[in-house]
Every structure is written in structure tokens, then in C-alpha cells.
Amino acid sequence: LASRPCKKHSSMGRETFIAKTIWENEWPVIAPGIGHLEDTVDIPLEECRFIDEISENDFITFCEAKPDKRLVGIGKRNESFYSLKDNPGVLRLYTNKEQITDLGTSAFLGLRQKGYEFSVKTAVRFIPQSDNETAGLVLFQNNENHLRFEVMKKAGEICFVVTSCIHGEEREIAQTPLKRKGFLTIRLQCCDQCARVWIKEDNGYISVAENLDLLAYTTEEAGGFVGCTVGVYASANGTESTNHADFAWLGCEVMDR
């Protein structure tokens, strides 16, 4: 087990690596003559492929009876907070009272971060009925350290808000009003521990926030060893609600430099 750091910080927790090994005096020597793990390793064995393989790029739709097994939850995954039947073809997340700042299970389904240069997109349709209801995209390290990109209602107006949560302290970074009530596309681009987010309502994307520092959401700053996930989320933030948010798809792809 080892970690892949970027700017001396790791966002992906501990991973399994393969390295060339020899034995000297009954002790293993890892990566002889090199002294560190390599990005790629040539192994003199016949290639073996698997039916289900992890890929760098993911595009998940919601047309099946069960959620894609690449999606992970917080704590557990059950139909108390989602449905694929209420509106076939989309993922419906209920705005339950549980929130992502809690230690328990909240309405979140995401993909594990697998690199430092990637783009995540989703399309959400959500009409908040109160100021407590939110839905959108989250870069999640733990309940006290995460970055949220949410549709919510503020002063009677529906808007898109970017909020950081670092060691439990929340700070609003950016806010922009929304014009329509259809699907909103959210695009998050992360590169070398820095992020930028756009939204698209009609024809083109507009930038909402840029130069977002991601070092706070790493093992070195936030603790733990499981790494970050990026996914869709909904909540009524501690209040009772019967509302919901519909997500059309979730995609994550490696960016070309």
C-alpha cells in the first residue's frame, strides 16, 4: 500500500501498487536499482483481462433497476434516500433531514477520485421549496472537509452556491442566480490540487468559481486514509422535507494536458 501525492498531499488515500521485487539475504528489495515506485511497470507475464475493469473515465446513467456498482455512498447505500423507479431514467435523491456534515448516512452517491487531472459533470433538476433544501455536486473527503456546489433558495430566489467546509467551518465562496427550472449542468474541473466550476442552463457554460484550493481535502490536512469521492447529493439540512432532486447522469473523465 502507498499513496500518490500531488504537491506533497494525497487526495486518493492508500492504494495497491505493483512493483518489481528481488530477494537479498532473505529480505525483499522493492524496485531494485530505482528505489521508488514507478508510474508503469513491465511484468513478464501473459496479459489477463477481467470482465469488470476499473477505467480512468466513467459515464453513469440511471436506466437500470439498481445503481451502478461504481457508485459509493457515505456509510451505506439504501433506498431510504434514493429511487430509480419514481422517475425512470434518472436518479432521484430525496431531500432527507440528514446532511453531509453529519457522521451518519446522507443522500450522496459518488465516484472515487482516481487522479489529479479530471473533470466531473452532472445534470440536475431541482426546485427547492425552502431555504434549507439543497442539491448538487460534492467533492467529499469527510463530513468536516468537503467542497459543495449546490442549487438552493436564498431570499426567495433560486441560485447556485459554492461552499467550502474545512475542519467543520463553512464559508460561501461564490453565488450566482439561476434563470430557469429545467436541468442544470454542473462541471467541476480539477488539476493539480486546484479546481474550477462552471454551470450551464441554456447554450453555454458560465464560470462560477476558479482557483479553488483542494489541499484542505487531503489526507495530510483532513486526516483519514480513504481518499476523496465526487458525487451527487441532496439534503434538507436538518429539517423535514418531502422534496427531491433528479440527476440525469454523472460523468468523470481524465483531462488531456
Side-chain angles (χ1 to χ4, degrees):
L1 295 177
S3 297
R4 285 182 284 161
C6 176
K7 295 185 177 179
K8 299 182 179 181
H9 288 68
S10 174
S11 302
M12 293 177 285
R14 291 187 286 190
E15 302 174 281
T16 301
F17 290 80
I18 296 176
K20 291 182 178 179
T21 305
I22 63 172
W23 291 84
E24 290 185 356
N25 300 321
E26 299 184 354
W27 286 92
V29 177
I30 309 299
I34 298 172
H36 60 80
L37 293 172
E38 300 174 272
D39 291 334
T40 60
V41 177
D42 292 326
I43 300 175
L45 297 174
E46 184 178 345
E47 182 181 47
C48 178
R49 304 306 298 260
F50 298 89
I51 296 176
D52 293 321
E53 295 185 350
I54 299 297
S55 64
E56 291 185 317
N57 300 319
D58 297 293
F59 187 80
I60 295 176
T61 57
F62 304 108
C63 299
E64 304 297 329
K66 294 182 180 181
D68 192 292
K69 56 187 175 183
R70 288 169 289 181
L71 294 172
V72 297
I74 300 172
K76 59 183 177 179
R77 213 174 69 167
N78 60 53
E79 293 191 19
S80 67
F81 67 78
Y82 76 85
S83 174
L84 293 171
K85 301 175 183 177
D86 288 354
N87 188 6
V90 303
L91 170 68
R92 175 161 291 180
L93 293 183
Y94 304 122
T95 51
N96 295 343
K97 64 191 302 183
E98 291 79 14
Q99 50 197 335
I100 208 161
T101 53
D102 296 336
L103 283 173
T105 299
S106 57
F108 171 90
L109 290 173
L111 296 164
R112 294 194 182 280
Q113 182 177 335
K114 292 179 283 190
Y116 290 109
E117 299 168 17
F118 63 94
S119 176
V120 179
K121 291 193 291 186
T122 191
V124 57
R125 181 172 58 203
F126 177 56
I127 303 175
Q129 303 299 317
S130 73
D131 290 354
N132 295 310
E133 297 175 352
T134 62
L137 193 70
V138 181
L139 174 73
F140 182 83
Q141 208 279 350
N142 59 36
N143 65 301
E144 292 189 342
N145 298 275
H146 53 265
L147 190 58
R148 305 196 304 268
F149 312 91
E150 301 167 289
V151 177
M152 63 174 64
K153 182 182 284 188
K154 302 193 78 170
E157 299 294 329
I158 299 177
C159 53
F160 180 78
V161 179
V162 180
T163 304
S164 67
C165 181
I166 300 174
H167 299 305
E169 295 292 329
E170 296 194 358
R171 181 173 71 90
E172 184 178 304
I173 297 174
Q175 175 181 324
T176 189
L178 298 178
K179 300 175 183 177
R180 50 189 299 226
K181 297 180 179 180
F183 275 100
L184 173 77
T185 302
I186 306 171
R187 178 188 175 195
L188 172 66
Q189 179 179 298
C190 301
C191 183
D192 296 340
Q193 303 291 21
C194 187
R196 183 177 180 183
V197 63
W198 295 263
I199 57 172
K200 182 173 71 172
E201 290 189 89
D202 296 307
N203 296 324
Y205 283 99
I206 61 170
S207 176
V208 179
E210 55 186 26
N211 297 321
L212 301 171
D213 189 356
L214 302 181
L215 293 178
Y217 317 108
T218 61
T219 295
E220 289 75 11
E221 301 297 328
F225 57 86
V226 295
C228 290
T229 55
V230 187
V232 294
Y233 166 68
S235 176
N237 291 293
T239 63
E240 298 293 338
S241 171
T242 58
N243 204 358
H244 60 266
D246 287 339
F247 294 86
W249 42 264
L250 175 64
C252 181
E253 61 181 358
V254 173
M255 296 190 315
D256 294 327
R257 279 236 162 181

